[in-house]
Amino acid sequence: MVSSKGKEFNVYRGLQRPLIFKSLKGKFIYWGMGCLLLAFVCAILLATLIHVAIGAIGLIVIALGGMFFILSKQRNGLHDKSRSSGTYIITPQFKKKLSR
């Protein structure tokens, strides 16, 4: 980018790292928002159908349970990966032909 005086400035293009909010990273931010929204909806339903105290208890149980689940999934990484240990020997299925 060139300014009016002819000097050049770098243009800021982004963070180049995952977004972090309250120790949640990347897609887990959306999972956390969805969990809290689900907890509020369930609490409203429980409070109107059964009792206000049960709605409050449901809100706490669903929100904390969901957040513990999300934090445990986040420890495994942003993408699902298999973590297998050991030595694997992969044999080739095709052999190269010798040309004459």
Side-chain angles (χ1 to χ4, degrees):
M1 178 180 258
V2 179
S3 70
S4 62
K5 294 183 180 180
K7 295 181 183 178
E8 292 187 14
F9 298 99
N10 292 331
V11 177
Y12 186 69
R13 297 279 182 192
L15 296 175
Q16 304 299 324
R17 60 175 84 169
L19 183 64
I20 299 174
F21 177 75
K22 302 277 186 183
S23 77
L24 295 175
K25 298 176 185 175
K27 70 179 180 182
F28 299 107
I29 295 172
Y30 301 111
W31 286 23
M33 289 179 358
C35 173
L36 292 178
L37 182 65
L38 177 71
F40 279 121
V41 169
C42 289
I44 291 170
L45 288 174
L46 287 173
T48 56
L49 295 176
I50 300 173
H51 195 268
V52 176
I54 295 189
I57 292 171
L59 173 70
I60 293 169
V61 168
I62 294 171
L64 289 179
M67 294 310 284
F68 281 129
F69 174 75
I70 291 169
L71 290 175
S72 70
K73 292 293 278 184
Q74 182 174 318
R75 277 189 213 111
N76 293 335
L78 192 59
H79 306 285
D80 292 330
K81 297 174 264 192
S82 60
R83 299 185 186 270
S84 52
S85 62
T87 304
Y88 296 95
I89 299 172
I90 301 172
T91 57
Q93 295 179 353
F94 303 103
K95 293 185 178 183
K96 186 176 181 182
K97 289 185 178 181
L98 296 174
S99 61
R100 292 185 176 187

